[in-house]
Amino acid sequence: MRWTTEEQTAIREHAAVPGISTQDYIRQSAVSRVLDWQRQRDAFREMAQRRGTSVEQLLQQGILTDDTA
């Protein structure tokens, strides 16, 4: 994957805060995003199961919304 100059700078600056390498920062960020996605997916599945429906049906019914326009 190629990074723009702005992205490289942002990654270096963010990695410097905890004092880790850019590679460790990228790895930790990727792992964090994956784990967040899995927790969200599992929460949606649990909610759907409690309601006796599927996640897709919940989304189609508009029960779960994204507050962005």
Side-chain angles (χ1 to χ4, degrees):
M1 176 170 217
R2 295 191 182 228
W3 308 97
T4 66
T5 301
E6 293 81 14
E7 290 168 334
Q8 290 174 13
T9 300
I11 291 168
R12 273 194 307 275
E13 289 174 356
H14 281 255
V17 172
I20 60 176
S21 72
T22 55
Q23 290 293 6
D24 283 344
Y25 176 80
I26 292 166
R27 183 185 55 75
Q28 289 177 11
S29 295
V31 168
S32 177
R33 292 193 68 165
V34 168
L35 293 174
D36 286 346
W37 174 81
Q38 288 175 336
R39 281 190 288 272
Q40 184 180 48
R41 179 199 60 197
D42 292 346
F44 286 165
R45 285 181 178 167
E46 184 179 324
M47 183 187 309
Q49 186 177 21
R50 281 193 315 258
R51 295 175 187 222
T53 189
S54 69
V55 172
E56 292 79 13
Q57 289 172 325
L58 288 175
L59 293 170
Q60 288 173 354
Q61 295 169 5
I63 293 172
L64 302 176
T65 61
D66 182 341
D67 291 327
T68 61

